[in-house]
Amino acid sequence: MTRRDFDPKTVVPDGRPAAKGVVFDPQTEGPWRGSLYGEVLNGPVTVLAYGNDTPGYGPRLHIHPYDETFIVIAGRARFFVGDDVIEAGAGEAVLGPAGIPHRFENLGPGRLQTIDIHHSPRWIQTDLD
């Protein structure tokens, strides 16, 4: 499918070079595998890699001053976003809007692996429990 959503002549490059950074080391153990701040790439988002093998386990309830998008790479998760409860599996994404407390847990069986996109060049968080 060919896409032509905009006229490329209307965009002026801002002078940033292409950049590369490490999100996680595949050999790292534990649920928090790593993160890459947008500042490192001169970009607008921070990316985290999270995973665990324990059903019922996940990050604690927290809040951000910006949106967070969760992409489930493997397994199944239950997300608690404000008063909403959303189940998502591999290939699905969930939005945690700015200012809304949220957390998620592994539904099992097996490993839950997510990529968490913080819509901010820095990871800013307040834990609530």
Side-chain angles (χ1 to χ4, degrees):
M1 170 176 94
T2 301
R3 296 190 56 156
R4 299 187 194 291
D5 297 331
F6 73 102
D7 180 353
K9 291 182 243 163
T10 65
V11 177
V12 178
D14 63 10
R16 289 179 297 160
K20 178 176 102 170
V22 176
V23 176
F24 68 93
D25 176 349
Q27 305 305 314
T28 299
E29 297 292 327
W32 293 104
R33 309 272 313 273
S35 63
L36 177 63
Y37 282 16
E39 297 170 332
V40 173
L41 299 177
N42 288 321
V45 299
T46 294
V47 180
L48 283 68
Y50 176 86
N52 79 64
D53 298 301
T54 308
Y57 184 75
R60 64 197 314 169
L61 186 68
H62 61 276
I63 193 168
H64 307 284
Y66 50 76
D67 291 346
E68 182 175 8
T69 301
F70 306 93
I71 303 169
V72 180
I73 303 300
R76 293 177 33 78
R78 179 176 293 123
F79 291 84
F80 302 87
V81 183
D83 293 331
D84 295 318
V85 179
I86 302 168
E87 292 188 7
E92 295 182 309
V94 173
L95 174 69
I100 304 294
H102 56 274
R103 68 181 183 88
F104 62 92
E105 63 189 22
N106 184 347
L107 280 178
R111 183 164 187 78
L112 169 65
Q113 187 67 55
T114 66
I115 295 294
D116 307 337
I117 302 169
H118 290 237
H119 297 244
S120 169
R122 300 248 343 136
W123 183 1
I124 305 166
Q125 174 171 313
T126 295
D127 294 332
L128 300 174
D129 64 358

